């Protein structure tokens, strides 16, 4: 089922999310709905707070990045095959050079800015079957994971940009809160009249 994506300004996007157990109600249905919602919005990642749930869960499918001409064949193949569910993720290590990439967010439509993140991370998490894993990720996959991991920590990519850039996008952010944004997917806005 396709769910509305929570827009910028909603308090759930600022919560440090709670761990869940394998017995979490309707967990497999929530995961399936998150993938449906992400694909409908042409996203590569979606975190539970973006559908209004303050739990440590996010999903990723980097295939849309795989056709970039800027990437090697090896990188394209790696991105094409990467689809993963992350539950109760814990960042163990961020390392390597920080590098910039133009990021966007389904909760903040029509806003894109360069964000600097580490090139390599070590993450502990449970998959959708509650198998515990510790893995190292790098490149664009690491970047997408860091973006979604930030969501379960109550952090948005706009928190990581320069003050001048924040000032320049202030009106756009207010428009999102007021329900004036018009993405081509369903959204739930925090200040919209008659919500």
């Amino acid at each position: 089922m396709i769910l509305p994506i929570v827009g910028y300004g909603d308090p759930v996007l600022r919560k440090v999310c709670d761990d869940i157990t394998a017995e979490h109600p309707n967990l497999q249905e929530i995961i399936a709905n998150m993938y449906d919602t992400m694909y409908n919005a042409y996203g590569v990642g979606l975190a539970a707070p973006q559908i209004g749930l303050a739990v440590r869960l996010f999903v990723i499918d980097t295939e849309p990045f795989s056709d970039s001409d800027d990437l090697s064949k090896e990188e394209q193949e790696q991105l094409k095959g990467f689809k993963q569910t992350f539950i109760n993720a814990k960042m163990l290590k961020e390392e390597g050079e920080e590098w910039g990439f133009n990021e966007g967010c389904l909760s903040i439509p029509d806003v894109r800015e360069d964000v600097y993140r580490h090139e390599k991370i070590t993450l502990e998490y449970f998959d959708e079957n509650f198998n515990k894993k510790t893995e190292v990720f790098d490149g664009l996959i690491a970047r997408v994971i860091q973006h979604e991991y930030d969501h379960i920590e109550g952090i948005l990519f706009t928190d990581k940009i320069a003050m001048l850039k924040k000032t320049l996008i202030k009106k756009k952010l207010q428009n999102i809160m007021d329900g004036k944004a018009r993405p081509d997917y369903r959204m739930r806005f925090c200040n919209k009249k008659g919500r």
Side-chain angles (χ1 to χ4, degrees), residues 22-82:
E23 291 75 41
H24 188 81
N26 308 313
L27 180 59
Q28 294 306 317
E29 181 183 346
I30 292 167
I31 292 169
N33 291 345
M34 286 178 67
Y35 277 110
D36 288 346
T37 302
M38 177 182 75
Y39 292 140
N40 180 68
Y42 305 101
V44 294
L46 188 71
Q50 293 180 276
I51 59 161
L53 300 175
V55 296
R56 296 184 77 80
L57 165 64
F58 58 89
V59 299
I60 286 173
D61 186 341
T62 57
E63 181 152 347
F65 283 152
S66 68
D67 59 6
S68 171
D69 294 333
D70 297 337
L71 302 172
S72 69
K73 289 283 183 214
E74 183 184 327
E75 288 170 311
Q76 289 175 342
E77 285 305 310
Q78 186 184 22
L79 292 167
K80 192 175 285 184
F82 192 83

Side-chain angles (χ1 to χ4, degrees), residues 128-153:
E128 66 276 6
N129 301 312
F130 261 81
N131 298 311
K132 191 173 187 177
K133 299 184 174 192
T134 301
E135 289 187 74
V136 175
F137 301 98
D138 60 13
L140 271 175
I141 291 173
R143 171 169 293 278
V144 176
I145 291 170
Q146 287 172 86
H147 178 108
E148 299 309 326
Y149 184 84
D150 279 353
H151 272 299
I152 64 171
E153 291 290 322

Side-chain angles (χ1 to χ4, degrees), residues 176-180 182 187 189-195:
I176 295 167
M177 288 192 291
D178 293 342
K180 295 177 184 170
R182 294 281 169 260
M187 283 196 77
F189 300 103
C190 68
N191 294 343
K192 190 172 181 181
K193 308 285 187 263
R195 161 181 171 210

